[in-house]
Structure formats: C-alpha cells, structure tokens
Amino acid sequence: MIFFKFFNKFLSVALTAIISLSATAIPCNSGELPEYVYLGGEPFGLKMYSDGVMIVELESYFDGSKYVCPAKKGGLKESDIIKEINGTKITSNETLREAALNSDGNTLEVTFERDNKTLTKEIVPIKNTAGNYLIGAWVRDSSAGIGTVTYYDTNENYFAGLGHGICDCDTYTLMPLASGEAVIAEISSVTKSTNGSPGSLNGYFSDKVIGKITDNCDIGIYGTFDTSLTENKEKLEVAKESELKTGKATVYTTLEGNTPKAYSIEITSISRNTNSAESFTLKVTDEELLDKAGGIVQGMSGSPIVMDGKLVGAVTHVFVNSTNEGYGIYVGNMMQNYK
C-alpha cells in the first residue's frame, strides 16, 4: 500500500490512499436535513477517474541548444487540467501522449481549466533523446484508496463518506471527477499511529460494488449505493447543529474485516462556522482503539460519530503530532453539500 504525502506537518486527513486530500470548506447548499439516515462505519474502496488530466509536474527536454519545457513555455502550469488537444477530448495519460507523439512537432491547441476557467494555449512539442515528440507534462488521470462510509440516505438514495475531498498528492488540487465507483473493502491490518507518524488501515478491495461515485467535493465523497447494504443497518436520527456539543461520544469504525465497532471518544471543542469541514475537535479515549491504532489512523476518514443516540458528524483529520486527537465535521454540513 502506498500512502499519500502530508500536506501539513501538523495535520493530516485520515484517508488511506495513493492521493492526498484537502479539507478546505465550501459554502453549504440550503435545504432541510433528513430526519433519519442509516449508520455507516464500514470501509470502502474508491476508484476514481478524473475529468481530463491534471498536470502534476513539468519536465524540460534538450532541443539541441538548451533545455526547454514546451508546456511551460506555452503557458501551462502545474494543477492545470487538460481537457482537449486540437478539439480531441483528453481522457487519460495515454491519449495525451498520443496527441503529442502524433504531432510531428506541429503546434497543438490545448484547452484546459485553471481556477474554474476554461483557457486555450498553443504548445509546440519537441523531441526527446529517444526521438519522441512530447510536451513536457507529467499528468494524473485516476486515484484509488480506502475510506469510511459515514451514512446512507435511502430517501435520496445516496451515501456519503470521508468528510473531505480527494485532491492530487502533488498539487493538493481537488481532483475533477469524470467517473468512479465504490466497492466493499476488507481491512487486513492496522499500522499503529505514533506522534509524528500517523498510521493507516491496510486492506484490499473486494469485487462487491457499492455504487457509483457521483461527486467529489471539498467536504465529502458522495455516490449511489445498493440499498441491500442497509438491510441490517441501524437507523439513526440526525442531530441538529444546536445539539452538537462537547462531551462523551462514540465513533464507529472498522479495524478488521468489514464490520464496524463502537469506540469511545470525547468532543473537546466546537466551531460554529457552518461552512467549515473542521466543525469540532475530538479526542480518542477508548483504550482498545488507542492500543490497536494509537488513536486516529489514515483510512478512518468518514467514520461516523454518535452522541446522545444521534448522528452528529464524522472523523476527518488526525493531528500528526498528537494522533489521539483530530478534527470532525458536523454531519449537516455533509448533507447540505450533497448535490
């Protein structure tokens, strides 16, 4: 299992993956919260394909007199998302490479997105030492990892998880979603967290598909699901924001197999910023969870938190230098953000 890079030495999202994540908040949509949902807590495998390809690194080549990066010279930057070349849709690293290889060195019209704006630049590929035409851009077109389901809403037929979005590990930019699927995951072992070094849930994907990923946004992953998954699930009332408070609570997460287990925590402080993905801080107090995991580990993102018999939120981050503590998101923020 390959783990993401930490984008902050003091704070890390709690997702086991080959990508890194950000929890920057975005405004919530208005609307009434559902009264009841089904409790999650089980791990799921995420396979996501991006809408276009994201530039993660620029590379220069020797053009006979000096080193040049065609993409950079033409005005492209890291985090740009290439959508089309000469009017042909770019869907993968392979289609981008083919467009450059087949260019014969002729100018390419590249359409891309930057800061939610669609732009066009002209790029002139050059030959590398092997004689292939390239534009000098390393790109990423897909992501995969393990997270935790927070809840299932059978009224709207969707599930939510993670409590933060999936971002590229090199640029920390939210990955644009073209398609994706969620599958049942099995946890085979736990790498224990220690202060300064968050651990992880280690596991594998099964062949059982939960559903399709429909949205990757800053405060959650959302998708359709097979309703049979809720047949033996507990139905819980959704807490109002006014009911979010400090005190003893319970987190449901999975350290082995696919069956969630309840562990005791304490909510230690509250933020009343309803647009924040960091709605409160929490501390693990359960001796078993501390003994087996050292507190919060990567892969626990989305683990639901229950207080006074109501769903109040989910785990989102672990404090790297104090791994028994972290951030959580109020569940209403996740629900109001669902599109």
Side-chain angles (χ1 to χ4, degrees), residues 51-254:
D51 182 13
V53 297
M54 180 181 292
I55 298 176
V56 297
E57 186 177 345
L58 297 173
E59 183 174 6
S60 298
Y61 304 100
F62 191 69
D63 68 354
S65 61
K66 60 184 180 301
Y67 281 91
V68 177
C69 175
K72 184 176 181 179
K73 184 178 180 181
L76 295 180
K77 300 178 180 180
E78 292 179 358
S79 297
D80 287 345
I81 301 166
I82 298 175
K83 293 297 191 77
E84 294 182 356
I85 291 184
N86 290 348
T88 300
K89 190 172 183 180
I90 300 301
T91 59
S92 66
N93 181 40
E94 288 74 18
T95 57
L96 175 65
R97 180 178 173 82
E98 287 175 6
L101 289 175
N102 297 331
S103 69
D104 287 330
N106 294 317
T107 300
L108 300 175
E109 185 179 78
V110 180
T111 301
F112 62 98
E113 285 188 2
R114 178 188 295 167
D115 299 328
N116 296 318
K117 297 179 181 178
T118 300
L119 305 171
T120 300
K121 298 287 187 181
E122 291 187 343
I123 308 297
V124 181
I126 61 175
K127 285 184 180 180
N128 64 3
T129 54
N132 298 319
Y133 285 103
L134 300 172
I135 67 169
W138 290 92
V139 299
R140 182 164 289 119
D141 59 10
S142 61
S143 302
I146 293 176
T148 301
V149 176
T150 304
Y151 65 87
Y152 301 90
D153 185 338
T154 54
N155 292 324
E156 297 292 333
N157 191 34
Y158 80 97
F159 78 93
L162 303 191
H164 51 63
I166 296 180
C167 295
D168 175 73
C169 64
D170 297 298
T171 65
Y172 313 133
T173 303
L174 193 70
M175 293 287 290
L177 174 67
S179 63
E181 66 178 12
V183 300
I184 295 293
E186 298 284 335
I187 303 303
S188 56
S189 65
V190 178
T191 300
K192 189 174 180 178
S193 284
T194 57
N195 290 342
S197 180
S200 62
L201 298 179
N202 309 311
Y204 55 91
F205 294 179
S206 75
D207 295 328
K208 174 66 174 178
V209 175
I210 295 175
K212 300 297 182 183
I213 302 299
T214 59
D215 193 17
N216 172 37
C217 72
D218 286 336
I219 55 175
I221 285 288
Y222 304 87
T224 61
F225 70 96
D226 181 347
T227 55
S228 66
L229 293 173
T230 61
E231 289 178 356
N232 297 313
K233 284 287 183 183
E234 183 179 3
K235 196 172 186 178
L236 283 183
E237 186 175 352
V238 176
K240 297 179 176 61
E241 187 184 5
S242 60
E243 295 176 295
L244 179 61
K245 60 185 179 181
T246 58
K248 294 181 179 180
T250 302
V251 63
Y252 289 80
T253 197
T254 304

Side-chain angles (χ1 to χ4, degrees), residues 27-45:
C28 294
N29 297 325
S30 60
E32 294 295 326
L33 301 182
E35 188 175 356
Y36 291 90
V37 292
Y38 287 91
L39 187 68
E42 63 271 31
F44 71 100

